[in-house]
Amino acid sequence: MEKELKVSVIGGGSWATALTKILTTNLSQVCWYMRNSSAIEHIKKTNHNPNYITDVEFDINKLKLTDDINEAVAYGDYLVFAIPSAFLSSEFEKLNLPLSNKNIFSAIKGIEPKSGLIVGEYFHKIYQVPYDNIGVIAGPCHAEEVALERLSYLTIACFNQEKANLFAKAMRTYFVKTKLSDDVIGIEYAAMLKNIYAIAAGIAHGLGYGDNFQSVLMSNAIREMRRYIKRIYKIKRNINNSAYLGDLLVTGYSLFSRNRTFGNMIGKGYTVKSAIMEMNMVAEGYYAVKSAYEINNKHTRKSRTPILDAVYQILYENKKAKQVFSELVNELN
């Protein structure tokens, strides 16, 4: 009989909540770390996360809740990280256990800003986790639709396909279908870039551009993504697969998308600071823009990235969105 995986979820936000819901469908117990101890007490009393996707109801008997990250790391052989990339290093300041013997599956869609590394590289270089133990959970999948148990698809990528398959089984339910991939690095970069392009889509909507322009923008975005990833990590991949194109489309078009919402606010005239303050959730794309732009510019032959460049100019060079997009429209085809 196949041994049940021991899984810990690290994070208390919407995506962590959704992933914990999925895992408790198949596993008898899941350890769930969140730093908010009052939220833990609320879950114990009501079976609901008080702050994120509050409609999800948990079987409390299946949860091992803790506000101690070391307890969660000690429990799990498989660790699922679902915290914003900008807060990754600060969370690890509390960690005093090694990670090198753990299997890490990242649901973080961004770059660790201090190191400038995608999450898999961060765990490998900073915490000596072997690449064979590193995986990625990719969409297209919104946490809110998981809460509603609407049919969703996940791609589980890992350098070790046996581990990918074991973890995919734990994630497979009547409302979640899973597929496997070995393109860990490419999918991580795609997950980071699609948030940036979703911000661009939101800015366009906020400026009053219509569906016709949005379709051209997304068409150019997937080609830009392909060029960017190919420059960094050249392997054979189908950029039209759901982990790339599918995730881009749902993030660029969905009303659930926090990155699109953030971009829409910028397009309507909000400052970056005011948009961040008004949103209850972190828009990963904001932090990713600077890192992605700098990574591209480190290359002698950098990729052509007019959409990325436009979003960077608006968010980090304080250029007017209207003027930047009036120039961008001439770069698209």
Side-chain angles (χ1 to χ4, degrees):
M1 185 175 178
E2 195 173 271
K3 185 180 177 182
E4 183 174 290
L5 300 186
K6 293 186 71 175
V7 180
S8 292
V9 177
I10 313 296
S14 57
W15 198 207
T17 304
L19 292 169
T20 303
K21 172 186 170 66
I22 294 170
L23 287 163
T24 53
T25 304
N26 291 325
L27 302 179
S28 60
Q29 187 174 61
V30 175
C31 184
W32 188 6
Y33 161 79
M34 59 179 72
R35 60 182 178 177
N36 188 337
S37 56
S38 61
I40 289 175
E41 292 307 311
H42 190 278
I43 295 170
K44 287 179 178 178
K45 291 176 183 177
T46 69
N47 299 350
H48 297 272
N49 187 335
N51 301 314
Y52 298 96
I53 52 175
T54 55
D55 289 340
V56 171
E57 183 170 357
F58 291 98
D59 179 349
I60 198 67
N61 296 315
K62 288 190 170 188
L63 292 179
K64 179 179 174 64
L65 292 157
T66 180
D67 59 2
D68 181 353
I69 192 170
N70 290 288
E71 183 179 359
V73 169
Y75 173 86
D77 297 321
Y78 283 71
L79 307 179
V80 176
F81 283 87
I83 55 180
S85 57
F87 306 139
L88 195 57
S89 60
S90 61
E91 280 295 333
F92 282 171
E93 289 174 1
K94 311 168 191 175
L95 185 65
N96 52 40
L97 293 176
L99 295 174
S100 56
N101 61 335
K102 302 292 182 177
N103 297 295
I104 307 289
F105 278 81
S106 169
I108 302 169
K109 306 186 188 300
I111 285 181
E112 198 287 310
K114 289 184 180 180
S115 63
L117 299 171
I118 56 173
V119 177
E121 291 176 335
Y122 177 79
F123 280 113
H124 177 69
K125 292 182 178 180
I126 307 300
Y127 290 93
Q128 291 76 54
V129 180
Y131 274 127
D132 220 36
N133 292 4
I134 294 173
V136 176
I137 304 168
C141 186
H142 278 307
E144 292 81 0
E145 291 203 353
V146 170
L148 297 169
E149 298 188 0
R150 290 180 176 169
L151 181 61
S152 302
Y153 292 72
L154 291 175
T155 298
I156 309 300
C158 186
F159 292 101
N160 184 314
Q161 288 291 280
E162 183 179 347
K163 291 178 180 179
N165 187 49
L166 283 172
F167 188 73
K169 286 181 179 178
M171 296 291 292
R172 196 174 297 138
T173 75
Y174 60 92
F175 60 91
V176 176
K177 293 184 180 294
T178 60
K179 62 178 292 187
L180 304 184
S181 172
D182 61 359
D183 185 19
V184 177
I185 294 173
I187 286 175
E188 276 214 82
Y189 273 104
M192 177 265 291
L193 290 167
K194 58 97 177 181
N195 286 334
I196 298 170
Y197 300 138
I199 291 176
I203 293 172
H205 185 266
L207 289 170
Y209 288 89
D211 291 344
N212 292 339
F213 177 75
Q214 292 276 6
S215 66
V216 173
L217 182 68
M218 289 294 100
S219 174
N220 279 262
I222 193 62
R223 285 176 276 158
E224 184 170 306
M225 178 187 288
R226 179 181 58 80
R227 292 193 299 269
Y228 189 106
I229 300 173
K230 185 178 180 181
R231 173 71 61 199
I232 290 171
Y233 187 59
K234 187 177 180 179
I235 65 168
K236 186 177 181 180
R237 65 174 60 85
N238 185 352
I239 203 72
N240 295 321
N241 280 348
S242 57
Y244 313 96
L245 177 59
D247 210 5
L248 170 66
L249 293 177
V250 75
T251 310
Y253 283 114
S254 175
L255 297 178
F256 287 131
S257 170
R258 68 195 71 173
N259 290 285
R260 179 185 166 91
T261 299
F262 174 76
N264 187 51
M265 294 168 75
I266 299 297
K268 288 183 179 296
Y270 284 71
T271 64
V272 169
K273 185 177 180 180
S274 61
I276 290 173
M277 288 177 64
E278 187 160 318
M279 291 182 68
N280 185 39
M281 296 183 288
V282 175
E284 285 272 27
Y286 169 69
Y287 300 101
V289 169
K290 188 171 186 289
S291 296
Y293 182 84
E294 290 174 348
I295 289 169
N296 192 39
N297 280 277
K298 284 179 184 176
H299 289 265
T300 305
R301 294 177 58 201
K302 65 178 185 178
S303 298
R304 180 177 171 272
T305 55
I307 303 173
L308 167 60
D309 296 347
V311 178
Y312 179 84
Q313 289 166 17
I314 294 166
L315 299 186
Y316 287 92
E317 295 182 347
N318 298 316
K319 294 187 177 180
K320 297 293 184 183
K322 185 176 182 181
Q323 179 60 36
V324 171
F325 264 67
S326 69
E327 296 170 3
L328 176 64
V329 297
N330 296 316
E331 296 284 332
L332 306 182
N333 54 65

